[in-house]
């Protein structure tokens, strides 16, 4: 690999999120700067030339936010993301009402990946408050507007909005267990999470979300074979193992069942976590 390629790989990856809009609507940049300018490094003096309906080009903290308003529906199918929108069962029906979308990208290169995601979240929350947003697609995670507002409000109080940033995929095994894998942990420089669980879906989601939130919040690395304490009385053993997904390498495997039935899915589930899984 040449020096230019190595330098490019060392650059922080772009963070992107998409808003699904009922209709196009101008953005009030003056109000944005007044409300969140200090939090994201947006100087009101840099808003000259930024039109309310033109593409977004915002200098922030030594970087630039790019926003592209599209006056037509999102062109890619959303079935893959919608089937895992656990708290939004009517996602596809609701999103059928959107007539346009707005894509927002920035690397926030002078910040850690967690700080960068938090700044992007502050900006997205402001846009959600201003615009007629039906839902938000962040990476592979699809959430409705009210969920986004609630999770982002919790984030402002110090919580990790795991469900906004990391998609939890799931499917039932023939023995009744639930097979889980995440998409999004690698955006923070951490391994993805996988498990096969004999617990209920709610209980399994809760454990994966708590474990992932801990990793993101602490920047921690749980060693192979260590246990992670959800509570004083409940601890989960964590293993390093090769993912069953062909495009993912080593993952955190949470031991949530004594007798896992797999590690290599087949048929429909193999396709589900195969070539369409995001890097």
């Amino acid at each position: 690999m040449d020096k230019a390629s190595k330098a490019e790989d060392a650059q922080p990856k772009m963070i992107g999120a998409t808003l699904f809009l009922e209709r196009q609507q101008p953005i009030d940049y003056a109000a944005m700067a007044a409300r969140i300018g200090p939090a994201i490094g947006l100087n009101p003096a840099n808003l000259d030339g930024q039109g309310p309906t033109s593409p977004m080009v915002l200098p922030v903290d030594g970087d630039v936010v790019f926003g592209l308003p599209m006056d037509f529906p999102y062109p890619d199918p959303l079935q893959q993301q919608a089937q895992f929108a656990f708290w939004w069962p009517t996602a596809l029906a609701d999103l059928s009402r959107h007539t346009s979308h707005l894509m927002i990208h920035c690397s926030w290169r002078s910040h850690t990946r967690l700080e960068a995601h938090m700044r992007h979240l502050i900006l997205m929350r402001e846009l959600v408050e201003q615009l007629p947003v039906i839902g938000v697609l962040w990476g592979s995670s699809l959430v409705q507007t009210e969920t986004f507002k609630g999770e982002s409000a919790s984030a402002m109080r110090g919580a990790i909005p795991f469900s906004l940033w990391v998609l939890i995929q799931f499917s039932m095994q023939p023995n009744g267990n639930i097979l889980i894998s995440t998409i999004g942990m690698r955006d923070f420089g951490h391994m993805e999470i996988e498990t096969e669980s004999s617990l209920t879906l709610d209980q399994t989601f809760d454990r994966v979300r708590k474990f992932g939130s801990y990793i993101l919040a602490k920047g921690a690395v749980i060693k192979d074979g260590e246990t992670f304490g959800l509570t004083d009385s409940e601890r989960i053993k964590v293993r390093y193992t090769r993912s069953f997904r062909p495009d993912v390498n080593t993952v955190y495997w949470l031991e949530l069942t004594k007798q896992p039935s797999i590690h290599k899915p087949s048929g429909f589930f193999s396709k589900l976590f195969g070539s369409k899984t995001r890097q």
Side-chain angles (χ1 to χ4, degrees):
M1 183 181 293
D2 58 30
K3 291 183 179 179
S5 297
K6 289 181 179 179
E8 184 177 347
D9 286 346
Q11 293 294 318
K13 292 183 179 180
M14 196 74 73
I15 299 173
T18 300
L19 302 177
F20 300 98
L21 307 175
E22 293 182 6
R23 61 189 179 280
Q24 286 277 354
Q25 182 170 304
I27 297 171
D28 187 338
Y29 286 101
M32 174 188 292
R35 284 194 287 257
I36 67 170
I40 66 171
L42 173 61
N43 188 335
N46 294 331
L47 292 175
D48 291 346
Q50 178 64 68
T53 59
S54 60
M56 180 188 296
V57 183
L58 296 179
V60 290
D61 274 353
D63 210 324
V64 179
V65 175
F66 296 99
L68 196 56
M70 304 285 197
D71 198 11
F72 53 85
Y74 191 72
D76 296 332
L78 292 166
Q79 283 85 354
Q80 177 79 1
Q81 297 88 344
Q83 67 181 318
F84 298 118
F86 186 52
W87 292 275
W88 194 10
T90 58
L92 289 178
D94 293 342
L95 288 171
S96 67
R97 296 187 289 105
H98 89 280
T99 63
S100 60
H101 62 287
L102 173 62
M103 306 175 74
I104 307 293
H105 292 84
C106 185
S107 65
W108 307 93
R109 57 189 172 188
S110 63
H111 299 281
T112 68
R113 289 300 79 198
L114 181 57
E115 291 169 344
H117 278 73
M118 288 301 295
R119 280 162 175 75
H120 209 72
L121 179 62
I122 291 169
L123 174 59
M124 296 302 293
R125 171 63 186 255
E126 170 65 21
L127 292 170
V128 166
E129 291 290 351
Q130 285 200 27
L131 304 176
V133 178
I134 299 172
V136 181
L137 178 65
W138 191 307
S140 297
S141 185
L142 182 66
V143 297
Q144 64 194 127
T145 300
E146 291 309 310
T147 299
F148 187 90
K149 288 181 178 180
E151 291 284 312
S152 58
S154 296
M156 298 307 108
R157 297 191 293 271
I160 294 294
F162 190 80
S163 300
L164 302 186
W165 294 339
V166 179
L167 176 68
I168 300 177
Q169 304 176 116
F170 60 92
S171 185
M172 298 298 296
Q173 290 291 91
N175 66 350
N177 289 347
I178 301 167
L179 189 60
I180 291 280
S181 67
T182 64
I183 302 178
M185 294 294 292
R186 284 171 291 175
D187 293 341
F188 297 85
H190 296 291
M191 294 188 294
E192 300 291 355
I193 304 165
E194 293 180 357
T195 186
E196 182 180 343
S197 173
S198 57
L199 303 172
T200 66
L201 186 57
D202 284 352
Q203 292 171 327
T204 303
F205 262 58
D206 184 59
R207 283 151 179 78
V208 171
R209 190 166 52 246
K210 286 180 178 176
F211 177 76
S213 296
Y214 175 82
I215 296 294
L216 297 187
K218 303 296 184 181
V221 176
I222 305 298
K223 294 180 181 178
D224 186 15
E226 286 188 341
T227 59
F228 169 76
L230 290 173
T231 65
D232 292 339
S233 60
E234 181 182 7
R235 301 191 67 84
I236 296 173
K237 180 170 282 190
V238 181
R239 296 289 190 185
Y240 290 7
T241 188
R242 171 74 188 188
S243 173
F244 53 77
R245 293 170 285 176
D247 62 334
V248 180
N249 294 318
T250 305
V251 299
Y252 287 117
W253 179 270
L254 308 185
E255 294 192 353
L256 295 182
T257 183
K258 292 182 179 179
Q259 294 182 324
S261 64
I262 74 122
H263 207 131
K264 297 291 182 182
S266 59
F268 169 76
F269 197 52
S270 180
K271 295 177 182 177
L272 195 64
F273 291 115
S275 60
K276 291 184 179 180
T277 305
R278 184 174 59 86
Q279 292 287 340

